[in-house]
């Protein structure tokens, strides 16, 4: 087996014991990788970016007309 060196499984051992030992090794290896909180942080950042995008879109739609009028007024006064 591939994991014999790491798990100290002898060739004369029972196959059932070898499978249980391999299962325990893989389970503990996966548990060590699963306890990482990076995925939760990524979801939180994605929600923040979505919220900021919604606020920006709302602000542009509410203030867009007024800002356009102000820019037109400034442009007309500069061209005169």
């Amino acid at each position: 087996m591939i994991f014999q060196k790491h798990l100290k499984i002898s060739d004369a051992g029972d196959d059932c014991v070898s499978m249980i030992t391999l299962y325990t090794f893989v389970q503990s290896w996966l548990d060590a990788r699963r306890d990482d909180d990076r995925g939760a942080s990524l979801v939180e950042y994605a929600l923040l970016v979505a919220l900021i995008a919604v606020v920006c879109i709302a602000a542009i739609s509410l203030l867009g007309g007024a800002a356009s009028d102000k820019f037109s007024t400034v442009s007309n006064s500069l061209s005169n």
Side-chain angles (χ1 to χ4, degrees), residues 7 19-29:
L7 300 175
M19 284 301 293
I20 291 172
T21 308
L22 178 62
Y23 173 77
T24 305
F25 174 76
V26 171
Q27 182 182 13
S28 63
W29 184 80

Side-chain angles (χ1 to χ4, degrees), residues 29-74:
W29 184 80
L30 289 174
D31 287 341
R33 301 309 182 267
R34 188 175 20 154
D35 291 337
D36 197 5
D37 289 338
R38 285 185 296 185
S41 298
L42 181 64
V43 171
E44 292 167 1
Y45 284 126
L47 288 173
L48 283 172
V49 168
L51 178 64
I52 291 170
V54 167
V55 168
C56 289
I57 290 171
I60 289 171
S61 13
L62 291 175
L63 303 175
S68 177
D69 291 341
K70 292 292 181 183
F71 282 121
S72 296
T73 303
V74 170

Side-chain angles (χ1 to χ4, degrees), residues 1 9-21:
M1 290 183 87
I9 300 172
S10 66
D11 289 332
D14 188 23
D15 286 339
C16 183
V17 173
S18 298
M19 284 301 293
I20 291 172
T21 308

